[in-house]
Amino acid sequence: MKKTTKLLHLIGLVMFFGGILPSIVMNSVVGTSADAVLIYHQRLFVSAITWALTIPGMWIQIVAGCLTAFAGKYRPLEHRWLIAKFVLAVLILINGTFVLAPLVSQVTSIAEQSALQGHLLPTYMPLKKTGRYVWDSQLSNASDRFYSRNL
């Protein structure tokens, strides 16, 4: 059973990262384009990848990881770091499945409406910024503060 759970854990990892990397590439290729049709097709691709690879891969990886830990020599009650790891994994799973994935679908829906109208709707960019651009902004602000103090 241990070899099977390790194999499933590896398959889940490949699916998860195999879904994230193309999404990152597609987002960087499209960038801040205002072409509604291009954005719609990019969003279709990202949405399909999210629901076909990223979310299932995340579930497989976390469930198989838990099964591997229970089948191995580590016992969660004896190793508190394992409990912390399980709790964090479940929180990531809940966030990815019930917060981020529906946001991907919502942005794709708005991109579809935009493509039908021939221009980006004003509601598209705020939702898009909720995900990637807010994180980029926070990271940029943090690095600016770090470098301004250390120069």
Side-chain angles (χ1 to χ4, degrees):
M1 176 170 159
K2 191 173 180 183
K3 287 184 180 183
T4 304
T5 57
K6 283 185 176 183
L7 177 64
L8 285 174
H9 190 69
L10 182 62
I11 289 170
L13 181 70
V14 169
M15 287 175 65
F16 179 69
F17 284 117
I20 288 184
L21 294 177
S23 298
I24 291 170
V25 170
M26 287 295 292
N27 280 329
S28 58
V29 166
V30 171
T32 57
S33 173
D35 183 0
V37 175
L38 174 66
I39 290 174
Y40 169 60
H41 289 294
Q42 180 256 349
R43 294 308 315 165
L44 281 178
F45 179 81
V46 170
S47 190
I49 291 293
T50 299
W51 288 107
L53 287 176
T54 308
I55 299 298
M58 185 171 47
W59 276 91
I60 291 169
Q61 183 183 8
I62 290 174
V63 170
C66 291
L67 290 174
T68 301
F70 288 128
K73 63 181 179 179
Y74 296 112
R75 301 287 172 238
L77 296 177
E78 296 171 8
H79 301 279
R80 294 184 192 257
W81 64 269
L82 198 53
I83 294 172
K85 183 178 177 179
F86 288 155
V87 169
L88 289 174
V90 168
L91 290 174
I92 290 169
L93 193 62
I94 290 170
N95 183 50
T97 304
F98 300 110
V99 177
L100 296 178
L103 182 63
V104 167
S105 296
Q106 187 178 6
V107 171
T108 302
S109 174
I110 292 171
E112 179 181 16
Q113 294 168 6
S114 297
L116 291 173
Q117 292 185 12
H119 61 86
L120 280 178
L121 296 175
T123 55
Y124 176 79
M125 284 314 279
L127 276 177
K128 177 88 171 148
K129 287 180 182 180
T130 300
R132 177 178 164 223
Y133 296 112
V134 169
W135 170 253
D136 289 347
S137 170
Q138 290 173 348
L139 187 60
S140 174
N141 289 340
S143 66
D144 288 347
R145 284 192 302 264
F146 175 77
Y147 287 115
S148 67
R149 276 189 263 143
N150 293 321
L151 290 180

